[in-house]
Amino acid sequence: MKVPFLDLNAPYKELKQELDSAYQRVMESGWFIMGAEVESFEHEFAAYCGVKHCIGLGNGLEALHLILRAYGIGAGDEVIVPANTYIATWLAVSYSGAVPIPVEPDPRTYNLNPSLVEAAITPKTKAIMPVHLYGQPADMDPILQIAEKYNLKVIEDAAQAHGSLYKGRLSGSLGHSASFSFYPGKNLGALGDAGAIVTNDDELAENVRMLRNYGSKVKYFHDVKGFNSRLDEMQAAFLRAKLPHLDEWNERRKRIAAYYLDHLADLPGLTLPYAPAEITPVWHIFVVQTPHRDALQQFLKSKGVGTLIHYPVPPHLSKAYAELGFPKGAFPITETIASSALSLPMGPHLSIEEAEYVGNMIREYFSQV
């Protein structure tokens, strides 16, 4: 059996009529930038997240960056970030001119460990940026309590967590603001790059709207030095077609995750994901850990099973952040995850039969170890 890591063509096959209609609607309108589709999606996604504002942007990285800019965070400031995350979280901080200050994850959840945050705060700290990694919300309440104590902003990186819940509350509504990516492989994915911020902060929303559009509220009148980061009309139309299906697609992911968790639970040498009872993940990625990661990946490949590694090089060990001077071993939990994590096939169009095959192949591998 051939089991791809993720089938990006399957959503189009399922929603062909809706997506074709969205495309035709935009083409017939003759309006391609900052029009009715973007405005409608912003209203619809804000309502979905339970917040006042959604501002559509070019991608998730720019969403994080513009939040920081809109808060006035920049040169001379520090932002606490997870050591264990995709590099975009750190890059957003760097683009603002601030410095990312990494903190180790909880080894069970892979997310930012709240018990280590306070020790990383200095007089230069302006914000904490927890990432809801792999589709599981970070432990937000203690992070918010620390932020209130030190008068810091909490910016959710919710790029992988569309529709996930923390104590019954949706990701995106937990901090002072949040960013989303709609990269095609996300739980809610466009057919190209796209992103957004969500917030209840009126001033932040107004500032981001200016920053995304050359610093302008009114065409050709520029209040600040802005950027060009606008959600495309076509991508907004595609996202509008997909948004009503997001919860159902997340439920399908949960069924696949439940199968993996049940079928692979007794394998020594394989660590499965852990989700606290108060958290409802949406399983953007299903990550296992094993000291046999590379060998397991090659075995699965030989059996037709696609896997990926998220992420093989932690930001602190990348060449891009060599100037920060972190040696190997500086963040041992993060480095262990990077060397042992493997992402199994996961998605709303993965069948239980395919998940069973993946599980059986993993069991076959471990029977030989």
Side-chain angles (χ1 to χ4, degrees), residues 86-104:
Y86 183 54
I87 199 170
T89 311
W90 289 40
L91 289 174
V93 178
S94 299
Y95 289 172
S96 75
V99 177
I101 304 298
V103 169
E104 284 269 61

Side-chain angles (χ1 to χ4, degrees), residues 225-258:
K225 296 180 181 71
F227 302 85
N228 176 10
S229 181
R230 301 172 299 200
L231 176 60
D232 184 85
E233 276 287 285
M234 191 71 75
Q235 300 305 333
F238 292 145
L239 289 168
R240 292 185 67 204
K242 286 186 170 185
L243 180 57
H245 302 272
L246 174 59
D247 289 342
E248 178 194 348
W249 285 0
N250 283 341
E251 288 302 316
R252 296 183 198 173
R253 289 174 179 268
K254 292 173 189 176
R255 288 196 289 272
I256 298 298

Side-chain angles (χ1 to χ4, degrees), residues 114-155:
S115 68
L116 303 178
V117 168
E118 195 162 9
I121 295 173
T122 75
K124 296 180 179 180
T125 307
K126 294 296 186 293
I128 306 170
M129 192 180 284
V131 178
H132 304 323
L133 200 63
Y134 311 148
Q136 176 165 307
D139 190 3
M140 292 295 291
D141 282 353
I143 293 172
L144 289 164
Q145 290 167 7
I146 294 168
E148 184 176 7
K149 178 178 177 180
Y150 291 93
N151 193 29
L152 306 176
K153 296 296 184 183
V154 176
I155 303 164

Side-chain angles (χ1 to χ4, degrees), residues 9-307:
N9 195 38
Y12 177 65
K13 291 178 180 178
E14 180 176 348
L15 301 182
K16 185 178 188 303
Q17 183 175 350
E18 294 100 313
L19 292 168
D20 286 352
S21 176
Y23 163 82
Q24 188 172 7
R25 192 169 66 241
V26 174
M27 294 303 294
E28 290 179 350
S29 76
W31 195 288
F32 304 109
I33 301 289
M34 300 284 285
E37 297 294 339
V38 169
E39 183 177 353
S40 295
F41 174 71
E42 289 175 339
H43 285 304
E44 290 159 10
F45 194 63
Y48 177 85
C49 293
V51 297
K52 291 171 63 176
H53 303 284
C54 169
I55 299 95
L57 299 164
N59 55 65
L61 170 55
E62 291 173 0
L64 283 174
H65 171 215
L66 294 191
I67 289 174
L68 292 165
R69 289 274 183 176
Y71 280 139
I73 296 172
D77 296 331
E78 295 176 350
V79 177
I80 292 174
V81 296
N84 182 49
T85 186
Y86 183 54
I87 199 170
T89 311
W90 289 40
L91 289 174
V93 178
S94 299
Y95 289 172
S96 75
V99 177
I101 304 298
V103 169
E104 284 269 61
D106 181 320
R108 300 175 306 160
T109 66
Y110 308 137
N111 278 327
L112 183 69
N113 190 335
S115 68
L116 303 178
V117 168
E118 195 162 9
I121 295 173
T122 75
K124 296 180 179 180
T125 307
K126 294 296 186 293
I128 306 170
M129 192 180 284
V131 178
H132 304 323
L133 200 63
Y134 311 148
Q136 176 165 307
D139 190 3
M140 292 295 291
D141 282 353
I143 293 172
L144 289 164
Q145 290 167 7
I146 294 168
E148 184 176 7
K149 178 178 177 180
Y150 291 93
N151 193 29
L152 306 176
K153 296 296 184 183
V154 176
I155 303 164
E156 300 171 66
D157 183 341
Q160 302 182 1
H162 316 68
S164 62
L165 296 171
Y166 175 79
K167 299 183 179 180
R169 295 172 285 156
L170 277 164
S171 293
S173 68
L174 305 171
H176 298 105
S177 57
S179 74
F180 283 91
S181 166
F182 304 119
Y183 182 78
K186 304 298 186 185
N187 293 44
L188 178 62
L191 302 186
D193 269 325
I197 78 143
V198 296
T199 185
N200 287 314
D201 185 330
D202 296 337
E203 183 179 358
L204 175 71
E206 181 179 3
N207 288 339
V208 171
R209 288 191 181 100
M210 281 195 298
L211 286 169
R212 74 171 171 180
N213 191 33
Y214 300 102
S216 173
K217 292 181 185 177
V218 179
K219 193 170 184 177
Y220 301 131
F221 292 83
H222 306 276
D223 300 326
V224 296
K225 296 180 181 71
F227 302 85
N228 176 10
S229 181
R230 301 172 299 200
L231 176 60
D232 184 85
E233 276 287 285
M234 191 71 75
Q235 300 305 333
F238 292 145
L239 289 168
R240 292 185 67 204
K242 286 186 170 185
L243 180 57
H245 302 272
L246 174 59
D247 289 342
E248 178 194 348
W249 285 0
N250 283 341
E251 288 302 316
R252 296 183 198 173
R253 289 174 179 268
K254 292 173 189 176
R255 288 196 289 272
I256 298 298
Y259 174 82
Y260 283 151
L261 290 169
D262 180 62
H263 193 67
L264 302 174
D266 61 339
L267 288 178
L270 187 71
T271 302
L272 298 179
Y274 166 79
E278 69 271 16
I279 287 174
T280 306
V282 290
W283 303 106
H284 171 60
I285 301 171
F286 190 95
V287 176
V288 299
Q289 284 190 82
T290 174
H292 310 289
R293 190 266 305 282
D294 294 342
L296 174 60
Q297 184 177 42
Q298 287 305 310
F299 179 83
L300 291 175
K301 181 179 179 181
S302 74
K303 300 296 184 179
V305 176
T307 60

Side-chain angles (χ1 to χ4, degrees), residues 296-358:
L296 174 60
Q297 184 177 42
Q298 287 305 310
F299 179 83
L300 291 175
K301 181 179 179 181
S302 74
K303 300 296 184 179
V305 176
T307 60
L308 288 176
I309 297 172
H310 297 87
Y311 302 96
V313 181
H316 73 278
L317 294 181
S318 68
K319 291 181 180 178
Y321 282 98
E323 80 277 3
L324 295 182
F326 291 116
K328 190 170 184 179
F331 298 97
I333 297 174
T334 294
E335 293 172 30
T336 296
I337 295 169
S339 66
S340 62
L342 184 66
S343 301
L344 303 184
M346 171 56 72
H349 298 91
L350 186 73
S351 69
I352 288 293
E353 291 74 22
E354 289 172 319
E356 288 176 351
Y357 178 76
V358 174

